[in-house]
Amino acid sequence: MAQKPTEPNRRDFMTIAAVSFAAVGGAASLWPFIDQMNPDASALSLATIEVDLSPIEEGQSITISWRGKPVFIRHRTGKEIEEAKGVKMADLPDPDARNGNLKDDAPATDINRVKDKNEKWLVLVGICTHLGCIPKGQRIGDAKGEYGGWFCPCHGSHYDTAGRIRKGPAPRNLDVPTFEFVSDTKIKIG
Amino acid sequence: MAHESTFKPGNSISKWFDDRLPIERMMHDQFGVFPMPRNLNYLWTFGGILTFFLVVQLLTGIVLAMHYVPHEGHAFDSVEHIMRDVNWGWLLRYMHANGASMFFLAAYIHIARGMYYGSYKAPREILWILGVLIFVVMMATAFMGYSLVWGQMSFWAVTVITNLFSSLDSIVSGLGTGIVEWIWGGFSVGNPTLNRLYSLHYLLPFVICGLVVLHIWALHIPGSNNPTGIDIKTKSDSIPFTPYYTVKDGFAMCVFVMLFAAFVFYAPNYLGHPDNYVEANPLATPPHIVPEWYFLPYYAILRAIPDKLFGVIAFAGSISILLFLPWLDTSKVRSSRYRPIYKWFFALFMIDVLVLGYLGAKPPEGLYLIVGRLATAYYFLHLLVVLPLLGWIEKPSAMPGSITDDVLGKKPAGAK
Ligand code: HEM
Ligand code: FES
């Protein structure tokens, strides 16, 4: 003890080893406390759903609930499809298709917003990409915004007839969920 | 002001305790004989009022929790059950809901007092920062409490506010969504969300209690500021806390509680929103989402900015910027009484915040949006530009030599 400690000695080693051990252990045991808040097994297992499209007339929309979220299904009119197709890509604030059925970098053309080139059926997650309100435009008499699609009243976002953001604070086009046609008039979402 | 203890135990039991846990000594030193400036006006009574409302919220909250059910299928009904069936339930809930409003009203007055009299300046910076932290935790607590009702406004307020984090997606793709789903415990606001908000709504008020203890501790090191902003210099500048300020605080509290009672008994829903008496419906957003009145100025700032990420940054910045106030204000003079130019900017700032509050309840379009942007700009301009520059430019007016001189109306001894 009387001698001057020059090199890191055994006591330093013990201190460093003990402190690092405690730090790593502490950090590791923190994880369960954080991760417990993530969506649990019951939330993840929420099944897919099938929707019968046959009762939806041209020009009509329905809203169904999938994973606790509203999904918009619109049977588009010829005019709505033409309007959506006529939009120049340069006029789109968000150039990506946001279609769960396509690659991430697909451009937001109208054909990329539908499934299997089936232009009549537009299927969207009905949640405004700004802060999560449900846009208006599903019901007859609803404000549909300046582009004839949907209008989010919360902070004024306008979506067009392909569900693409055109004006307002929302950063992204409405998401198209992963889905498939089980038959001509039936889809399976999820 | 830290001072020598003058406590003398009155009897042997008190002496026995004093040797072991000198809590009576602390009360005597800190709230009995504690030297206070002799010139405090009624704006200094709001600290006591705030403490009172913290206690009101704790007491009413704990008994409400005995009847409330934190489940998406039962929450709304259990609140109605409290209102209709539980003995005195209506009173307890109205006290809790309006108590939160009174708590915020008092906090806003308390904060404005600090800004007018420069109470955030050295050596009270930590005291001020603790105050801002209390304010932030209060906002979190009130937001979570409001969500518990599980009405339409509750549900959509939680949806919109938690979604603020999704703006981080534009920095790191997927990060924001990840955080939002972590907060929700699912893919939308639902039962797991309600449960955790309840757990935290119960916890945070106790965190506030802890912060309040630190806040008062930090206050009792330099002692209270006063309307002149001049330090206590001699004994004649101060008076003991008890009985003078115990009585003054008590009187102000009674008057404030009359206001509280007026709301609870005559207009219990005046400050609320009728849509929150409609049960939460995840498939339909109400036409206008309006937060509780005490959040309106910040909500207006959020909506004034068309970009999602920057809107959120401005929103968070508008509150956190207050933490830096002690360094943003470069003037050495504390009290606005002696700051002829700042006084006007302060008034403008107060009007600005009220205008923002008004706009927060209006739809963000047309003229409202334009005025909202101007008011937001001034909010930041005031704190980031006007305050630092004024300290250099402004020539303070003549100040009295001491608190006593001021109280006795002695002419100031020339400009400082
Ligand atoms: C800082 C203190 C507190 C504040 C600012 C606060 C604020 C709020 C607010 C604004 C509401 C919604 C009121 C309404 O519209 O009905 C609420 C509800 C509630 N709070 Fe608190 N609270 C506080 C402390 C507490 C404490 C300590 C508890 C104890 C567990 C508690 C339990 C509840 C319960 C059970 C509800 C739901 C029932 C209801 O809506 O009345 N609160 N709180
Ligand atoms: S949530 Fe739709 S515009 Fe803000």
Side-chain angles (χ1 to χ4, degrees), chain B residues 185-216:
Chain B
F187 301 101
S188 52
V189 174
N191 200 47
T193 327
L194 175 58
N195 264 284
R196 58 195 59 177
L197 292 176
Y198 183 53
S199 167
L200 295 176
H201 184 67
Y202 212 133
L203 168 71
L204 290 186
F206 296 94
V207 173
I208 297 181
C209 291
L211 286 170
V212 167
V213 169
L214 295 182
H215 189 70
I216 296 175

Side-chain angles (χ1 to χ4, degrees), chain B residues 289-313:
Chain B
I289 300 189
V290 197
E292 292 286 84
W293 70 267
Y294 37 83
F295 293 133
L296 289 173
Y298 307 102
Y299 196 59
I301 291 178
L302 169 74
R303 297 193 305 179
I305 296 176
D307 180 87
K308 179 165 157 180
L309 181 62
F310 284 103
V312 174
I313 291 175

Side-chain angles (χ1 to χ4, degrees), chain A residues 34 37 129-131 134, chain B residues 156 163 182 187 196 285 308:
Chain A
I34 295 171
M37 277 177 65
T129 59
H130 181 226
L131 295 175
I134 315 278
Chain B
W156 290 100
N163 258 309
W182 175 72
F187 301 101
R196 58 195 59 177
T285 309
K308 179 165 157 180

Side-chain angles (χ1 to χ4, degrees), chain B residues 5 8 70 116 126 130 140 185 228 273 298 315 411:
Chain B
S5 178
K8 294 219 171 43
Y116 185 77
I126 299 211
L130 284 164
T228 64
H273 198 289
Y298 307 102
F315 175 72
K411 284 262 140 43

